[in-house]
Amino acid sequence: MSQASARAHSNIALIKYWGKRQTHLNLPAVGSISVTLDDLYTDTTVRFDDTLDGDCARIGGAEVDVARFSEFVDIVRAEAGIDTRVAIESHNNFPTGAGLASSASGFAALALATADAAGLDLTPRALSILARRGSGSAARSIFGGLVEMHRGITTDGSDAFAEPMLDASSWPLEVVVAITDNTSKKINSTAGMSHLDTRSDYYEAWVNRAEDDLADMRAAIAARDFTAVGALSEMSALKLHALMLSTRPGLIYWNAATVSAMHAVREMRAGGLETYFTIDAGPQLKALCAPGQGAAVAAELARVPGVLDTRLTGLGPNAHLR
Ligand code: PMV
């Protein structure tokens, strides 16, 4: 029997990824740039145990369908040359599957814990590639601070990994998460982004423009230009949702409170409190804030009708064993 425990932090993309260039290896059609969130994380313990009849997994104490996790652990078993069954125990300190990137922190923590329990000594890059197999955004949660995920061009996925850009202390940005719904989302991202080339007329434009958006964001981050980073983030989020809305059938991830919170962010800006929103495949809004500005933004967002809760977080560290 061997066991390992890991913690990985959630992340949100400032330049978004949506769409796959290859599904089996989970290769993204576009690169992405994200921030890792300190206060939202997953703790996962993996136990390889000869006495188990089959794999099993629990999230937050409740038994879940193990198929997706078994498939993931099979990658590690193949690499380690073992076929021992596993028990996976995972806890998110935030709502699961509601657009707060639980699959990002979840598969990053699972990658690290599984590799370690199986006796594999993987580099951070190899861990990022492994985490990507579980979920595209999980590749980024291996690293803290600001992170870039490369789309890669090879068919084996060896160049589709994330890399750290800046650590959390180099630019201590803050993020306010405005929770507008605590239930699981209806259409998960894998289903939402499948066959996009035939389902959205906007997809080609999305892919063609991605490299320019990434280059603009790299330059804005290098210059620590908060205004440019924020404006690009809001643009990328709105463009992502335009793509989602244009998909047949159209994907509407927002609720009324999401839209109210978007307007509130723009009103704060007009009033001199500089903050920008981003939104993933769910109804929660995340407001990107300059260092020290998060508390004021959180207080404003808490007043928006339909916002159930707010969480203020700084940028988080690398995924790590515990
Ligand atoms: O990690 P996935 O494959 O579930 O996709 C995540 C997609 C978005 O969160 C909407 C955008 C992103 O880049 O994280």
Side-chain angles (χ1 to χ4, degrees):
M1 199 181 89
S2 64
Q3 179 172 317
S5 298
R7 174 172 295 179
H9 295 254
S10 172
N11 74 74
I12 46 157
L14 303 181
I15 297 295
K16 303 291 189 188
Y17 131 72
W18 194 250
K20 300 181 200 290
R21 65 181 172 89
Q22 203 251 55
T23 47
H24 175 61
L25 292 172
N26 208 19
L27 304 178
V30 296
S32 52
I33 291 176
S34 61
V35 286
T36 299
L37 305 178
D38 196 31
D39 284 5
L40 281 77
Y41 53 80
T42 303
D43 286 330
T44 298
T45 297
V46 171
R47 191 178 85 242
F48 283 96
D49 187 341
D50 291 319
T51 66
L52 292 169
D53 294 334
D55 295 334
C56 55
R58 295 199 304 173
I59 300 180
E63 199 86 29
V64 293
D65 181 7
V66 78
R68 189 175 175 193
F69 303 113
S70 281
E71 217 176 290
F72 182 82
V73 174
D74 280 344
I75 301 166
V76 175
R77 280 190 279 245
E79 209 164 318
I82 56 174
D83 63 2
T84 317
R85 299 296 100 191
V86 285
I88 299 166
E89 184 80 51
S90 196
H91 289 273
N92 298 317
N93 76 336
F94 58 91
T96 301
L100 287 175
S102 55
S103 67
S105 51
F107 276 105
L110 185 62
L112 183 53
T114 309
D116 191 71
L120 295 179
D121 187 19
L122 300 184
T123 62
R125 177 173 298 185
L127 276 170
S128 177
I129 288 173
L130 174 62
R132 188 203 71 223
R133 298 289 296 273
S135 162
S137 54
R140 302 187 306 243
S141 271
I142 295 298
F143 302 104
L146 286 114
V147 179
E148 175 162 7
M149 171 75 195
H150 304 287
R151 128 194 231 286
I153 52 169
T154 63
T155 50
D156 66 359
S158 56
D159 56 355
F161 52 79
E163 277 187 312
M165 299 176 83
L166 282 183
D167 65 22
S169 60
S170 303
W171 198 17
L173 297 170
E174 296 175 8
V175 173
V176 176
V177 181
I179 296 172
T180 66
D181 187 348
N182 280 314
T183 60
S184 286
K185 64 192 171 211
K186 292 178 189 72
I187 301 160
N188 72 31
S189 44
T190 303
M193 67 174 88
S194 68
H195 305 294
L196 260 180
D197 49 342
T198 56
R199 290 168 67 214
S200 170
D201 299 338
Y202 294 177
Y203 184 58
E204 201 180 323
W206 165 261
V207 173
N208 287 343
R209 181 68 198 175
E211 279 308 319
D212 294 332
D213 292 347
L214 289 163
D216 290 348
M217 183 57 98
R218 278 184 217 115
I221 289 170
R224 309 282 201 280
D225 182 341
F226 180 69
T227 302
V229 167
L232 285 164
S233 302
E234 216 172 275
M235 179 280 296
S236 180
L238 288 171
K239 193 155 68 166
L240 167 71
H241 285 271
L243 176 66
M244 291 163 158
L245 291 166
S246 77
T247 305
R248 288 178 290 269
L251 301 167
I252 308 173
Y253 283 111
W254 302 338
N255 60 31
T258 319
V259 178
S260 298
M262 287 156 73
H263 288 296
V265 163
R266 292 198 160 178
E267 277 158 29
M268 279 185 244
R269 277 215 304 277
L273 181 55
E274 196 179 5
T275 180
Y276 298 86
F277 63 77
T278 183
I279 305 163
D280 285 336
Q284 330 299 359
L285 175 138
K286 294 94 176 183
L288 185 69
C289 311
Q293 301 284 288
V297 171
E300 288 295 325
L301 283 173
R303 278 205 280 274
V304 174
V307 170
L308 306 174
D309 198 8
T310 59
R311 288 178 80 146
L312 168 58
T313 174
L315 303 194
N318 294 345
H320 51 278
L321 292 166
R322 307 179 75 225

